[in-house]
Amino acid sequence: MKQPSTPDLSTRLIHHEYTPPQGFHAPQPAVHKASTVIFPNVAAMRAREWKDKSSYTYGLHGTPTTYQLEERLATLEGGLQCLLVPSGLAAISTVSLALLRQGDEVLIPDNAYGPNKALAEVELRHYGIRHRIYDPLDPADLASKITDATRLVWLEAPGSVTLEFPDLVEQVRICRARGVATVLDNTWGAGLAFAPFDLLGHGAGAEGALGVDVSVHALTKYPSGGGDVLMGSITTRDEGLHLRIKLTHMRLGLGVGANDVEAVLRALPSMALRYHAHDAAARDLAQWMGLQPAVAQVLHPALPGSPGHAQWKALCGAANGGQGAAAGLFSVVIDARHSQAQVDAFCDGLRLFKLGYSWGGPMSLVVPYDLPSMRTGATAHLRPGTVVRFSVGLEAVDDLRADLAQAMHQAFGTA
Ligand SMILES: *Cc1c(COP(=O)(O)O)cnc(C)c1O
């Protein structure tokens, strides 16, 4: 550096001469925070390459911290490329905006995550992209709704709120045969209940392997695990597809905060332990809820009798040492003889289950839903009544069971 005299203190504090020694290694990756990334010279600046992880160009395009999380998430889901976005919903909207254009059609399951449908009903419609809703439990209905204009099929296994488990293998086969791209919202399976890019267990990328084209994941849920981070990921195994999505991602200007990335990097090593603990507690409570007189139906794909149980068993039954794997979520249909006011009183009466959206954190949550306003298709597989969804946290199961019992007794005069 050419500096005639000693620079001012303020300058020296910005351009400080000290560089720490290389070779610092610790269990937790470093938090690199940057909008600006500094290039050594003009030639390097001109040769900048943001399309892959070979270098750094600008904070929006990645830092060592975001690259590390992306690579770990690709491993989790069995993908080869991964992109971080500011929320699970941003992962959904980015994929739809990247892969759909005017005149295209997108298919969405009737039990999809609600905001995915809302995006299609408003923004996509404004852009001249049509959507059709298909029956997630009837592959023939999906097949019949694919037209020459269909470019993308959204999949969810199981569906949000009502948790019907579809025949994912058959759905993907149908879309493959028709040359239509598939995107799975893999938040529930989280990379732990089944392998989205290797549904038949042949090994992802192997001869005869079957998988979705894109997997989106609300990292807000289990990967974060704290109820304190909003983030999403978009994982692929096809470089060209990844690049199409990455270009849109760049043009939309989507970035994630380094401290949030660090929180997910910190939570990721315990994710499988947490996932299976949430699962065990949720199955225990779901089974017990099924015995209660106020409950007309329990919706949990791992429980026999739940819609899509056989499909769950086929896809997720071998996970977790043969016990099968499921997220810590279940819903119940409160019998139609109980009024909405009673259902509300039950939810209000819970002390440990808090009223709140999202899931995947240590605190148990409950949400009552108005199903008729959420569905367009048939719901004959659901008993009449009011749907209440529980997200089971990491509290002691006996305490949660006692909480459910006291609130039911108070609201319904039973249990
Ligand atoms: C929560 C959730 C999302 C959205 O995640 P956010 O980070 O809250 O935007 C998407 N899909 C599913 C299935 C979810 O449960």
Side-chain angles (χ1 to χ4, degrees), residues 44-257:
M45 192 173 223
R46 292 214 174 102
R48 68 190 182 278
E49 178 50 79
W50 52 264
K51 290 201 203 71
D52 59 32
K53 292 189 168 75
S54 60
S55 62
Y56 305 101
T57 56
Y58 189 59
L60 272 182
H61 305 155
T63 64
T65 310
T66 60
Y67 285 179
Q68 285 181 86
L69 181 56
E70 286 173 349
E71 291 298 308
R72 286 170 199 209
L73 292 169
T75 300
L76 172 69
E77 304 227 10
L80 294 176
Q81 308 89 18
C82 179
L83 277 170
L84 297 177
V85 289
S87 68
L89 181 53
I92 291 170
S93 61
T94 302
V95 171
S96 279
L97 293 178
L99 302 184
L100 295 168
R101 54 199 62 179
Q102 192 175 14
D104 287 350
E105 245 172 44
V106 56
L107 300 184
I108 303 175
D110 201 19
N111 57 3
Y113 177 67
N116 191 351
K117 283 177 159 179
L119 176 79
E121 281 158 11
V122 184
E123 275 73 19
L124 296 188
R125 188 191 299 251
H126 289 171
Y127 303 151
I129 298 158
R130 279 167 302 162
H131 72 281
R132 302 177 84 191
I133 302 295
Y134 69 88
D135 181 347
L137 292 175
D138 181 6
D141 184 59
L142 167 62
S144 77
K145 285 184 172 147
I146 296 177
T147 70
D148 291 344
T150 310
R151 289 288 164 279
L152 201 60
V153 172
W154 278 94
L155 303 163
E156 233 178 289
S160 285
V161 182
T162 41
L163 302 163
E164 301 95 338
F165 210 96
D167 187 343
L168 193 58
V169 169
E170 186 57 21
Q171 290 177 323
V172 172
R173 277 203 180 112
I174 289 168
C175 296
R176 260 293 135 89
R178 304 285 291 274
V180 179
T182 50
V183 195
L184 172 72
D185 183 331
N186 194 31
T187 305
W188 184 95
L192 296 170
F194 61 93
F197 297 99
D198 182 24
L199 299 171
L200 303 176
H202 292 323
E207 180 92 18
L210 186 78
V212 299
D213 294 303
V214 185
S215 173
V216 302
H217 193 161
L219 309 177
T220 306
K221 310 292 166 53
Y222 291 119
S224 142
D228 56 353
V229 173
L230 287 158
M231 202 179 295
S233 65
I234 303 167
T235 305
T236 46
R237 287 188 62 85
D238 180 274
E239 188 65 43
L241 187 57
H242 167 71
L243 198 58
R244 272 177 76 190
I245 300 169
K246 189 170 169 70
L247 281 161
T248 298
H249 176 270
M250 182 202 73
R251 289 186 291 252
L252 290 174
L254 302 173
V256 293

